[in-house]
Coordinates of all heavy atoms in Angstrom, one line a residue:
M1 N 3.6 9.1 -17.3 CA 2.3 9.6 -17.2 C 1.7 9.6 -18.6 O 2.4 9.7 -19.6 CB 2.4 11.1 -16.7 CG 2.8 11.1 -15.2 SD 2.7 12.8 -14.5 CE 4.2 13.4 -15.1
N2 N 0.4 9.5 -18.6 CA -0.3 9.3 -19.9 C -0.9 10.7 -20.3 O -1.4 11.5 -19.5 CB -1.5 8.3 -19.8 CG -1.0 7.0 -19.4 OD1 0.1 6.6 -19.9 ND2 -1.7 6.2 -18.6
S3 N -0.8 10.9 -21.6 CA -1.5 12.1 -22.2 C -3.0 12.0 -22.1 O -3.5 10.9 -22.1 CB -1.1 12.4 -23.6 OG 0.3 12.6 -23.7
N4 N -3.6 13.1 -21.9 CA -5.1 13.0 -21.9 C -5.6 12.9 -23.3 O -5.0 13.2 -24.3 CB -5.7 14.2 -21.1 CG -5.5 15.5 -21.8 OD1 -5.2 15.6 -23.0 ND2 -5.7 16.6 -21.1
P5 N -6.9 12.4 -23.5 CA -7.4 12.2 -24.8 C -7.5 13.4 -25.7 O -7.6 13.3 -26.9 CB -8.8 11.6 -24.5 CG -9.0 11.5 -23.1 CD -7.8 12.1 -22.4
D6 N -7.6 14.6 -25.1 CA -7.7 15.8 -25.9 C -6.4 16.3 -26.4 O -6.4 17.3 -27.1 CB -8.4 16.9 -25.0 CG -9.8 16.6 -24.6 OD1 -10.5 15.9 -25.3 OD2 -10.1 17.0 -23.4
Q7 N -5.3 15.6 -26.1 CA -4.0 16.0 -26.6 C -3.5 17.4 -26.1 O -2.8 18.0 -26.8 CB -3.9 15.9 -28.1 CG -4.2 14.5 -28.6 CD -3.2 13.4 -28.0 OE1 -2.1 13.6 -28.0 NE2 -3.8 12.3 -27.6
T8 N -4.0 17.8 -24.9 CA -3.5 19.0 -24.4 C -2.2 18.7 -23.6 O -1.8 17.5 -23.5 CB -4.5 19.7 -23.4 OG1 -4.8 18.8 -22.3 CG2 -5.8 20.0 -24.2
K9 N -1.5 19.7 -23.0 CA -0.3 19.5 -22.3 C -0.6 18.9 -20.9 O 0.4 18.5 -20.3 CB 0.5 20.8 -22.2 CG 1.0 21.3 -23.5 CD 1.7 22.6 -23.3 CE 2.2 23.1 -24.7 NZ 2.9 24.3 -24.6
E10 N -1.8 18.9 -20.5 CA -2.1 18.3 -19.2 C -1.9 16.8 -19.2 O -2.2 16.1 -20.2 CB -3.6 18.6 -18.9 CG -4.1 18.1 -17.5 CD -5.5 18.4 -17.3 OE1 -6.0 19.4 -17.8 OE2 -6.2 17.6 -16.6
T11 N -1.3 16.3 -18.1 CA -1.1 14.8 -18.0 C -1.9 14.2 -16.9 O -2.2 14.9 -15.9 CB 0.4 14.5 -17.9 OG1 0.8 15.1 -16.7 CG2 1.2 14.9 -19.1
R12 N -2.2 13.0 -17.0 CA -2.9 12.3 -15.9 C -2.1 11.1 -15.4 O -1.3 10.5 -16.2 CB -4.2 11.7 -16.4 CG -5.2 12.8 -16.9 CD -6.5 12.1 -17.3 NE -7.2 13.0 -18.2 CZ -8.2 12.6 -18.9 NH1 -8.6 11.4 -19.0 NH2 -8.8 13.5 -19.7
L13 N -2.3 10.8 -14.2 CA -1.6 9.6 -13.6 C -2.4 8.4 -14.0 O -3.7 8.4 -14.0 CB -1.5 9.7 -12.1 CG -0.6 10.8 -11.5 CD1 -0.7 10.9 -10.0 CD2 0.8 10.5 -11.9
P14 N -1.8 7.3 -14.2 CA -2.5 6.0 -14.4 C -3.2 5.6 -13.1 O -2.7 5.9 -12.0 CB -1.4 5.0 -14.8 CG -0.2 5.6 -14.2 CD -0.3 7.1 -14.2
P15 N -4.3 4.9 -13.2 CA -5.0 4.5 -12.0 C -4.2 3.4 -11.2 O -4.4 3.3 -10.0 CB -6.3 3.9 -12.4 CG -6.1 3.6 -13.9 CD -5.1 4.5 -14.4
A16 N -3.4 2.7 -11.9 CA -2.6 1.6 -11.2 C -1.2 1.5 -11.9 O -1.1 1.9 -13.1 CB -3.3 0.3 -11.3
V17 N -0.2 1.0 -11.2 CA 1.1 0.8 -11.7 C 1.6 -0.6 -11.4 O 1.1 -1.2 -10.4 CB 2.1 1.8 -11.1 CG1 1.8 3.2 -11.6 CG2 2.2 1.7 -9.6
T18 N 2.5 -1.1 -12.2 CA 3.2 -2.3 -11.9 C 4.5 -2.0 -11.2 O 4.9 -0.8 -11.1 CB 3.5 -3.1 -13.2 OG1 4.4 -2.3 -14.0 CG2 2.2 -3.4 -13.9
F19 N 5.3 -2.9 -10.8 CA 6.6 -2.6 -10.3 C 7.5 -1.9 -11.3 O 8.2 -0.9 -11.0 CB 7.3 -3.9 -9.8 CG 6.7 -4.4 -8.5 CD1 5.8 -5.4 -8.5 CD2 7.1 -3.9 -7.3 CE1 5.2 -5.9 -7.4 CE2 6.6 -4.4 -6.1 CZ 5.6 -5.4 -6.1
T20 N 7.4 -2.3 -12.6 CA 8.1 -1.7 -13.7 C 7.6 -0.3 -14.0 O 8.4 0.7 -14.0 CB 8.1 -2.6 -14.9 OG1 8.7 -3.8 -14.6 CG2 8.9 -1.9 -16.1
S21 N 6.3 -0.2 -14.2 CA 5.8 1.2 -14.6 C 5.9 2.1 -13.4 O 6.1 3.3 -13.6 CB 4.4 1.1 -15.1 OG 3.5 0.7 -14.1
G22 N 5.8 1.6 -12.2 CA 6.0 2.4 -11.0 C 7.4 3.0 -10.9 O 7.6 4.2 -10.5
A23 N 8.4 2.2 -11.2 CA 9.8 2.7 -11.1 C 9.9 3.8 -12.1 O 10.5 4.8 -11.8 CB 10.7 1.5 -11.4
H24 N 9.4 3.6 -13.4 CA 9.5 4.6 -14.4 C 8.8 5.9 -13.9 O 9.4 7.0 -14.1 CB 9.0 4.2 -15.7 CG 9.8 3.1 -16.4 ND1 11.0 3.3 -16.9 CD2 9.5 1.8 -16.6 CE1 11.5 2.2 -17.4 NE2 10.6 1.2 -17.2
L25 N 7.6 5.8 -13.4 CA 6.9 7.0 -12.9 C 7.6 7.7 -11.8 O 7.7 8.9 -11.8 CB 5.5 6.5 -12.5 CG 4.5 7.6 -12.1 CD1 4.3 8.6 -13.3 CD2 3.2 7.0 -11.6
L26 N 8.1 7.0 -10.9 CA 8.9 7.6 -9.8 C 10.0 8.5 -10.3 O 10.3 9.6 -9.8 CB 9.4 6.6 -8.8 CG 8.4 5.9 -7.9 CD1 9.0 4.7 -7.2 CD2 7.7 6.9 -6.9
M27 N 10.8 8.0 -11.3 CA 11.9 8.7 -11.8 C 11.4 9.9 -12.7 O 11.9 11.0 -12.6 CB 12.8 7.8 -12.6 CG 13.6 6.8 -11.7 SD 14.8 5.8 -12.5 CE 13.7 4.8 -13.6
Q28 N 10.4 9.6 -13.5 CA 9.8 10.6 -14.4 C 9.3 11.8 -13.5 O 9.5 13.0 -13.9 CB 8.7 10.1 -15.2 CG 8.1 11.0 -16.2 CD 7.0 10.4 -17.0 OE1 6.4 9.4 -16.6 NE2 6.8 10.8 -18.2
M29 N 8.7 11.6 -12.4 CA 8.2 12.6 -11.6 C 9.2 13.2 -10.7 O 9.0 14.2 -10.0 CB 7.0 12.1 -10.7 CG 5.8 11.7 -11.5 SD 4.5 11.1 -10.5 CE 3.9 12.6 -9.8
G30 N 10.5 12.7 -10.6 CA 11.5 13.2 -9.8 C 11.4 12.9 -8.3 O 12.0 13.5 -7.5
I31 N 10.6 11.9 -8.0 CA 10.4 11.5 -6.6 C 11.7 10.8 -6.1 O 12.1 10.9 -5.0 CB 9.1 10.7 -6.4 CG1 7.9 11.6 -6.8 CG2 9.0 10.1 -5.0 CD1 6.6 10.8 -6.8
V32 N 12.3 10.0 -7.0 CA 13.5 9.3 -6.7 C 14.5 9.6 -7.9 O 14.0 9.8 -9.0 CB 13.4 7.8 -6.4 CG1 12.5 7.5 -5.2 CG2 12.9 7.1 -7.6
E33 N 15.7 9.5 -7.6 CA 16.7 9.8 -8.7 C 16.8 8.5 -9.6 O 16.9 8.6 -10.8 CB 18.1 10.1 -8.1 CG 19.1 10.5 -9.1 CD 20.4 10.9 -8.4 OE1 20.4 11.7 -7.4 OE2 21.5 10.5 -8.9
S34 N 16.9 7.4 -8.9 CA 17.0 6.1 -9.7 C 16.4 5.0 -8.9 O 16.6 4.9 -7.7 CB 18.5 5.9 -9.9 OG 18.7 4.7 -10.6
I35 N 15.7 4.1 -9.6 CA 15.1 2.9 -9.0 C 14.7 1.9 -10.1 O 14.4 2.3 -11.2 CB 13.9 3.2 -8.0 CG1 13.6 2.1 -7.1 CG2 12.7 3.6 -8.9 CD1 12.8 2.5 -5.9
T36 N 14.8 0.7 -9.8 CA 14.4 -0.4 -10.7 C 13.2 -1.1 -10.1 O 12.8 -1.0 -9.0 CB 15.5 -1.4 -10.9 OG1 15.8 -2.1 -9.7 CG2 16.8 -0.7 -11.4
R37 N 12.6 -2.0 -11.0 CA 11.5 -2.8 -10.5 C 11.9 -3.7 -9.4 O 11.2 -4.0 -8.4 CB 10.8 -3.6 -11.6 CG 11.7 -4.6 -12.2 CD 11.1 -5.4 -13.3 NE 12.1 -6.3 -13.8 CZ 12.0 -7.2 -14.6 NH1 10.8 -7.4 -15.2 NH2 12.9 -8.0 -15.0
E38 N 13.2 -4.2 -9.5 CA 13.8 -5.1 -8.5 C 13.9 -4.3 -7.2 O 13.8 -4.8 -6.1 CB 15.1 -5.7 -8.9 CG 15.0 -6.7 -10.0 CD 15.0 -6.0 -11.4 OE1 15.1 -4.8 -11.5 OE2 14.8 -6.8 -12.4
G39 N 14.3 -3.0 -7.3 CA 14.4 -2.2 -6.1 C 13.1 -2.0 -5.4 O 13.0 -2.0 -4.1
I40 N 12.1 -1.8 -6.1 CA 10.7 -1.6 -5.5 C 10.3 -2.9 -4.9 O 9.8 -3.0 -3.8 CB 9.7 -1.1 -6.6 CG1 10.1 0.3 -7.0 CG2 8.3 -1.2 -6.0 CD1 9.2 0.8 -8.1
R41 N 10.6 -4.1 -5.6 CA 10.2 -5.4 -5.0 C 11.0 -5.6 -3.6 O 10.4 -6.1 -2.7 CB 10.5 -6.5 -5.9 CG 9.5 -6.6 -7.0 CD 9.8 -7.8 -7.9 NE 8.9 -7.9 -9.0 CZ 7.7 -8.5 -8.9 NH1 7.2 -9.0 -7.8 NH2 6.9 -8.5 -9.9
Y42 N 12.2 -5.2 -3.6 CA 13.0 -5.3 -2.4 C 12.4 -4.5 -1.3 O 12.2 -4.9 -0.1 CB 14.5 -4.9 -2.6 CG 15.3 -5.0 -1.4 CD1 15.9 -6.2 -1.1 CD2 15.5 -4.0 -0.5 CE1 16.7 -6.4 0.1 CE2 16.2 -4.1 0.7 CZ 16.9 -5.3 0.9 OH 17.6 -5.5 2.1
I43 N 12.0 -3.2 -1.6 CA 11.4 -2.4 -0.6 C 10.1 -3.0 -0.1 O 9.8 -3.0 1.1 CB 11.2 -1.0 -1.2 CG1 12.5 -0.3 -1.4 CG2 10.3 -0.1 -0.3 CD1 12.5 0.9 -2.4
A44 N 9.3 -3.5 -1.1 CA 8.0 -4.1 -0.7 C 8.2 -5.3 0.3 O 7.4 -5.5 1.2 CB 7.3 -4.6 -2.0
D45 N 9.3 -6.1 0.1 CA 9.6 -7.2 0.9 C 10.2 -6.9 2.2 O 10.1 -7.7 3.2 CB 10.5 -8.2 0.2 CG 9.8 -8.9 -1.0 OD1 8.5 -8.9 -1.0 OD2 10.5 -9.4 -1.9
H46 N 10.8 -5.7 2.3 CA 11.7 -5.4 3.5 C 11.2 -4.2 4.3 O 11.8 -4.0 5.4 CB 13.1 -5.3 3.1 CG 13.7 -6.6 2.7 ND1 13.7 -7.0 1.3 CD2 14.3 -7.6 3.3 CE1 14.3 -8.1 1.2 NE2 14.6 -8.6 2.4
N47 N 10.3 -3.4 3.8 CA 9.9 -2.2 4.5 C 8.6 -2.4 5.2 O 7.6 -2.7 4.5 CB 9.9 -1.0 3.6 CG 9.7 0.3 4.3 OD1 8.8 0.4 5.1 ND2 10.5 1.3 4.0
E48 N 8.5 -2.4 6.5 CA 7.3 -2.7 7.3 C 6.2 -1.7 6.9 O 5.0 -2.1 7.1 CB 7.6 -2.6 8.8 CG 8.5 -3.7 9.3 CD 7.8 -5.0 9.3 OE1 6.6 -5.1 9.6 OE2 8.4 -6.0 9.0
A49 N 6.5 -0.5 6.5 CA 5.5 0.5 6.1 C 4.9 0.3 4.7 O 4.0 1.1 4.4 CB 6.0 1.9 6.3
W50 N 5.4 -0.7 3.9 CA 4.9 -0.9 2.6 C 3.4 -1.0 2.7 O 2.9 -1.9 3.4 CB 5.5 -2.1 2.0 CG 5.1 -2.3 0.5 CD1 4.4 -3.4 0.1 CD2 5.5 -1.5 -0.6 NE1 4.2 -3.3 -1.3 CE2 4.9 -2.1 -1.7 CE3 6.2 -0.4 -0.8 CZ2 5.0 -1.6 -3.0 CZ3 6.3 0.2 -2.1 CH2 5.7 -0.5 -3.1
P51 N 2.6 -0.2 1.9 CA 1.1 -0.2 2.1 C 0.3 -1.3 1.3 O -0.9 -1.3 1.5 CB 0.8 1.2 1.5 CG 1.8 1.4 0.5 CD 3.1 0.8 1.0
F52 N 1.0 -2.2 0.6 CA 0.3 -3.1 -0.2 C 0.5 -4.6 0.3 O 1.5 -4.9 0.7 CB 0.7 -3.1 -1.7 CG 0.4 -1.7 -2.3 CD1 1.4 -0.8 -2.4 CD2 -0.8 -1.5 -2.9 CE1 1.2 0.5 -2.9 CE2 -1.1 -0.2 -3.4 CZ -0.1 0.7 -3.5
G53 N -0.6 -5.4 0.1 CA -0.5 -6.8 0.4 C -1.5 -7.2 1.5 O -2.3 -6.4 2.0
P54 N -1.5 -8.5 1.8 CA -2.4 -9.0 2.9 C -2.1 -8.3 4.2 O -1.0 -8.0 4.5 CB -2.0 -10.5 3.0 CG -1.2 -10.8 1.7 CD -0.6 -9.5 1.3
D55 N -3.2 -8.0 4.9 CA -3.1 -7.3 6.2 C -2.5 -5.9 6.1 O -2.0 -5.4 7.0 CB -2.3 -8.1 7.2 CG -2.9 -9.5 7.4 OD1 -4.2 -9.6 7.4 OD2 -2.2 -10.4 7.6
K56 N -2.6 -5.3 4.9 CA -2.1 -3.9 4.6 C -3.3 -3.1 4.2 O -4.3 -3.6 3.8 CB -1.0 -3.9 3.6 CG 0.3 -4.7 3.9 CD 1.1 -4.0 5.0 CE 2.4 -4.7 5.3 NZ 3.3 -3.9 5.9
P57 N -3.1 -1.8 4.2 CA -4.3 -0.9 3.8 C -4.7 -1.1 2.4 O -5.9 -0.9 2.1 CB -3.7 0.5 4.0 CG -2.5 0.4 4.9 CD -2.0 -1.0 4.7
F58 N -3.9 -1.5 1.5 CA -4.2 -1.6 0.1 C -3.9 -3.0 -0.5 O -2.8 -3.5 -0.3 CB -3.5 -0.5 -0.8 CG -3.8 0.9 -0.3 CD1 -3.0 1.5 0.6 CD2 -5.0 1.5 -0.7 CE1 -3.3 2.8 1.0 CE2 -5.3 2.8 -0.2 CZ -4.4 3.4 0.6
P59 N -4.8 -3.6 -1.2 CA -4.5 -4.9 -1.8 C -3.7 -4.8 -3.1 O -3.8 -3.7 -3.8 CB -5.9 -5.5 -2.1 CG -6.7 -4.3 -2.4 CD -6.2 -3.2 -1.5
Y60 N -3.0 -5.8 -3.5 CA -2.4 -5.9 -4.8 C -3.6 -6.3 -5.8 O -4.5 -7.0 -5.4 CB -1.4 -7.0 -4.9 CG 0.0 -6.6 -4.2 CD1 0.4 -7.3 -3.1 CD2 0.8 -5.6 -4.8 CE1 1.6 -7.0 -2.5 CE2 2.0 -5.3 -4.2 CZ 2.4 -6.0 -3.1 OH 3.6 -5.6 -2.5
G61 N -3.5 -5.9 -7.0 CA -4.4 -6.3 -8.0 C -3.6 -7.2 -9.0 O -2.4 -7.3 -8.9
K62 N -4.3 -7.8 -9.9 CA -3.7 -8.6 -11.0 C -4.2 -8.2 -12.3 O -5.4 -8.0 -12.5 CB -3.9 -10.1 -10.7 CG -3.2 -10.7 -9.5 CD -1.7 -10.8 -9.8 CE -1.4 -12.2 -10.0 NZ 0.0 -12.4 -10.3
A63 N -3.4 -8.2 -13.3 CA -3.8 -8.1 -14.7 C -2.9 -9.1 -15.5 O -1.7 -8.8 -15.7 CB -3.6 -6.7 -15.2
G64 N -3.4 -10.2 -15.8 CA -2.6 -11.2 -16.4 C -1.6 -11.7 -15.3 O -2.0 -12.0 -14.2
K65 N -0.3 -11.7 -15.7 CA 0.7 -12.0 -14.7 C 1.3 -10.8 -13.9 O 2.0 -11.0 -13.0 CB 1.9 -12.7 -15.4 CG 1.5 -14.1 -16.0 CD 2.7 -14.7 -16.6 CE 2.3 -16.1 -17.2 NZ 3.5 -16.8 -17.8
A66 N 0.8 -9.6 -14.3 CA 1.3 -8.4 -13.7 C 0.7 -8.1 -12.3 O -0.6 -8.3 -12.2 CB 1.2 -7.2 -14.6
V67 N 1.4 -7.7 -11.4 CA 0.9 -7.2 -10.1 C 0.6 -5.7 -10.2 O 1.5 -5.0 -10.6 CB 1.9 -7.5 -9.0 CG1 1.5 -7.0 -7.6 CG2 2.2 -9.0 -8.8
L68 N -0.5 -5.3 -9.8 CA -0.9 -3.9 -9.9 C -1.0 -3.3 -8.5 O -1.4 -4.0 -7.5 CB -2.3 -3.8 -10.6 CG -2.4 -4.2 -12.0 CD1 -3.8 -4.1 -12.5 CD2 -1.4 -3.4 -12.9
M69 N -0.7 -2.0 -8.4 CA -0.8 -1.3 -7.2 C -1.5 0.1 -7.5 O -1.2 0.7 -8.5 CB 0.5 -1.0 -6.6 CG 1.3 -2.2 -6.2 SD 3.1 -1.9 -5.9 CE 3.6 -1.9 -7.6
A70 N -2.4 0.5 -6.7 CA -3.1 1.8 -6.9 C -2.0 2.9 -6.9 O -1.1 2.9 -6.0 CB -4.1 2.1 -5.8
T71 N -2.1 3.8 -7.8 CA -1.0 4.8 -8.0 C -0.9 5.7 -6.9 O 0.3 6.0 -6.4 CB -1.3 5.5 -9.4 OG1 -1.3 4.6 -10.4 CG2 -0.2 6.6 -9.6
E72 N -1.9 6.3 -6.4 CA -1.8 7.3 -5.4 C -1.2 6.8 -4.1 O -0.2 7.4 -3.6 CB -3.2 8.0 -5.1 CG -3.6 9.0 -6.2 CD -2.6 10.1 -6.4 OE1 -1.9 10.6 -5.5 OE2 -2.5 10.6 -7.6
P73 N -1.6 5.7 -3.5 CA -0.9 5.2 -2.3 C 0.6 4.8 -2.6 O 1.4 5.0 -1.7 CB -1.7 4.0 -1.8 CG -2.9 3.9 -2.7 CD -2.8 4.9 -3.8
F74 N 0.8 4.3 -3.8 CA 2.2 4.0 -4.2 C 3.1 5.2 -4.2 O 4.1 5.3 -3.5 CB 2.2 3.4 -5.6 CG 3.5 3.1 -6.2 CD1 4.2 1.9 -5.9 CD2 4.1 4.0 -7.1 CE1 5.4 1.6 -6.4 CE2 5.3 3.7 -7.6 CZ 6.0 2.5 -7.3
L75 N 2.6 6.3 -4.8 CA 3.3 7.6 -4.8 C 3.5 8.2 -3.4 O 4.5 8.7 -3.0 CB 2.7 8.6 -5.8 CG 2.7 8.2 -7.3 CD1 2.0 9.2 -8.1 CD2 4.2 8.1 -7.8
D76 N 2.4 8.1 -2.7 CA 2.4 8.7 -1.3 C 3.5 8.0 -0.5 O 4.2 8.6 0.3 CB 1.0 8.5 -0.6 CG 0.0 9.5 -1.1 OD1 0.4 10.5 -1.8 OD2 -1.2 9.3 -0.9
F77 N 3.6 6.6 -0.6 CA 4.6 5.9 0.2 C 6.0 6.5 -0.2 O 6.8 6.8 0.7 CB 4.6 4.4 -0.2 CG 5.8 3.7 0.4 CD1 5.7 3.3 1.7 CD2 6.9 3.4 -0.4 CE1 6.8 2.6 2.3 CE2 8.0 2.7 0.2 CZ 7.9 2.3 1.5
F78 N 6.3 6.7 -1.4 CA 7.6 7.1 -1.8 C 7.8 8.6 -1.5 O 8.9 9.0 -1.3 CB 7.9 6.8 -3.3 CG 8.3 5.4 -3.5 CD1 7.3 4.4 -3.9 CD2 9.6 5.0 -3.3 CE1 7.6 3.1 -4.0 CE2 9.9 3.6 -3.4 CZ 8.9 2.7 -3.8
R79 N 6.8 9.4 -1.5 CA 6.9 10.8 -1.1 C 7.1 11.0 0.4 O 7.8 11.9 0.8 CB 5.6 11.6 -1.6 CG 5.5 11.8 -3.1 CD 4.3 12.6 -3.3 NE 4.1 12.8 -4.8 CZ 3.0 12.6 -5.4 NH1 1.9 12.1 -4.8 NH2 2.9 12.9 -6.7
T80 N 6.4 10.2 1.2 CA 6.4 10.5 2.6 C 7.1 9.5 3.5 O 7.5 9.9 4.6 CB 4.9 10.6 3.1 OG1 4.3 9.4 2.9 CG2 4.2 11.7 2.3
V81 N 7.3 8.3 3.1 CA 7.8 7.2 4.0 C 9.2 6.8 3.5 O 10.1 6.8 4.4 CB 6.9 6.0 4.0 CG1 7.5 4.9 4.8 CG2 5.5 6.3 4.5
Y82 N 9.4 6.5 2.3 CA 10.7 6.0 1.8 C 11.8 7.0 1.8 O 11.6 8.2 1.4 CB 10.5 5.5 0.4 CG 11.7 5.0 -0.3 CD1 12.3 3.8 0.2 CD2 12.4 5.7 -1.3 CE1 13.5 3.3 -0.4 CE2 13.5 5.2 -1.9 CZ 14.1 4.1 -1.4 OH 15.2 3.6 -2.0
Q83 N 12.9 6.6 2.4 CA 14.1 7.5 2.4 C 15.1 6.9 1.4 O 15.7 5.8 1.7 CB 14.7 7.5 3.8 CG 13.8 8.1 4.8 CD 13.6 9.6 4.6 OE1 14.6 10.3 4.3 NE2 12.4 10.1 4.8
Q84 N 15.3 7.5 0.3 CA 16.3 7.0 -0.7 C 17.7 7.0 -0.1 O 18.1 8.0 0.5 CB 16.2 7.8 -2.0 CG 17.1 7.1 -3.1 CD 16.8 7.7 -4.4 OE1 16.2 8.8 -4.6 NE2 17.2 7.1 -5.5
P85 N 18.4 5.9 -0.2 CA 19.8 5.8 0.3 C 20.6 6.9 -0.4 O 20.5 7.2 -1.5 CB 20.3 4.4 0.0 CG 19.1 3.6 -0.3 CD 18.0 4.6 -0.8
R86 N 21.5 7.5 0.4 CA 22.5 8.5 -0.2 C 23.6 7.7 -0.9 O 24.0 6.7 -0.5 CB 23.1 9.3 1.0 CG 22.1 10.2 1.6 CD 22.9 11.2 2.5 NE 21.9 11.9 3.4 CZ 22.0 11.9 4.7 NH1 23.0 11.4 5.3 NH2 21.1 12.5 5.4
K87 N 24.1 8.4 -1.9 CA 25.2 7.9 -2.6 C 26.5 8.2 -1.8 O 26.5 9.1 -1.0 CB 25.4 8.6 -4.0 CG 24.3 8.2 -5.0 CD 24.5 8.8 -6.3 CE 23.4 8.5 -7.3 NZ 23.6 9.1 -8.5
T88 N 27.5 7.3 -1.9 CA 28.7 7.5 -1.2 C 29.3 8.9 -1.6 O 29.3 9.3 -2.8 CB 29.7 6.4 -1.6 OG1 29.2 5.2 -1.4 CG2 31.0 6.6 -0.9
G89 N 29.7 9.7 -0.6 CA 30.2 11.0 -0.9 C 29.2 12.1 -0.8 O 29.6 13.3 -0.8
D90 N 27.9 11.8 -0.7 CA 26.9 12.8 -0.5 C 27.0 13.4 0.9 O 27.2 12.7 1.8 CB 25.5 12.3 -0.7 CG 25.1 12.1 -2.2 OD1 25.9 12.5 -3.1 OD2 24.0 11.5 -2.5
A91 N 26.7 14.7 1.0 CA 26.8 15.3 2.3 C 25.5 14.9 3.1 O 24.5 14.7 2.5 CB 26.7 16.8 2.1
P92 N 25.7 14.7 4.4 CA 24.5 14.3 5.2 C 23.4 15.3 5.3 O 23.6 16.5 5.1 CB 25.1 14.1 6.6 CG 26.5 14.7 6.6 CD 26.9 14.9 5.2

């Protein structure tokens, strides 16, 4: 998360994330325990509910070679749709 320009303790979400920055943000916010950019790419390719891409509710953006996703729908997907796999030995 980015500090606001007034340097107060309040933080703001970025308007868009990449696969890499999105992974960091998810862990920083405690939405998932652990995830990598490759993990997010795998989810994007294999989860029918992924909200970004052609024929999906939200388009991908581009900045140079980076793929961008709007932050709020990205976070909403991980908060409400994605089920993080349990680690071996975790109680059901």
Side-chain angles (χ1 to χ4, degrees):
M1 290 188 277
N2 297 325
S3 295
N4 68 14
D6 297 327
Q7 300 302 313
T8 63
K9 293 181 183 180
E10 182 181 328
T11 57
R12 296 183 199 165
L13 292 175
V17 294
T18 64
F19 286 96
T20 300
S21 68
H24 291 291
L25 185 61
L26 289 170
M27 291 186 294
Q28 184 179 27
M29 294 181 73
I31 295 171
V32 300
E33 186 176 316
S34 177
I35 198 161
T36 63
R37 67 181 177 173
E38 292 86 2
I40 294 175
R41 285 187 182 275
Y42 181 86
I43 292 164
D45 290 341
H46 293 90
N47 189 309
E48 291 290 322
W50 183 248
F52 297 96
D55 301 322
K56 298 287 186 161
F58 301 96
Y60 285 114
K62 289 289 255 177
K65 293 183 181 181
V67 174
L68 298 175
M69 297 163 281
T71 302
E72 285 302 329
F74 176 84
L75 293 176
D76 286 345
F77 171 83
F78 282 95
R79 286 180 180 133
T80 62
V81 177
Y82 177 69
Q83 298 288 320
Q84 188 167 13
R86 292 191 192 126
K87 291 182 180 179
T88 304
D90 283 353

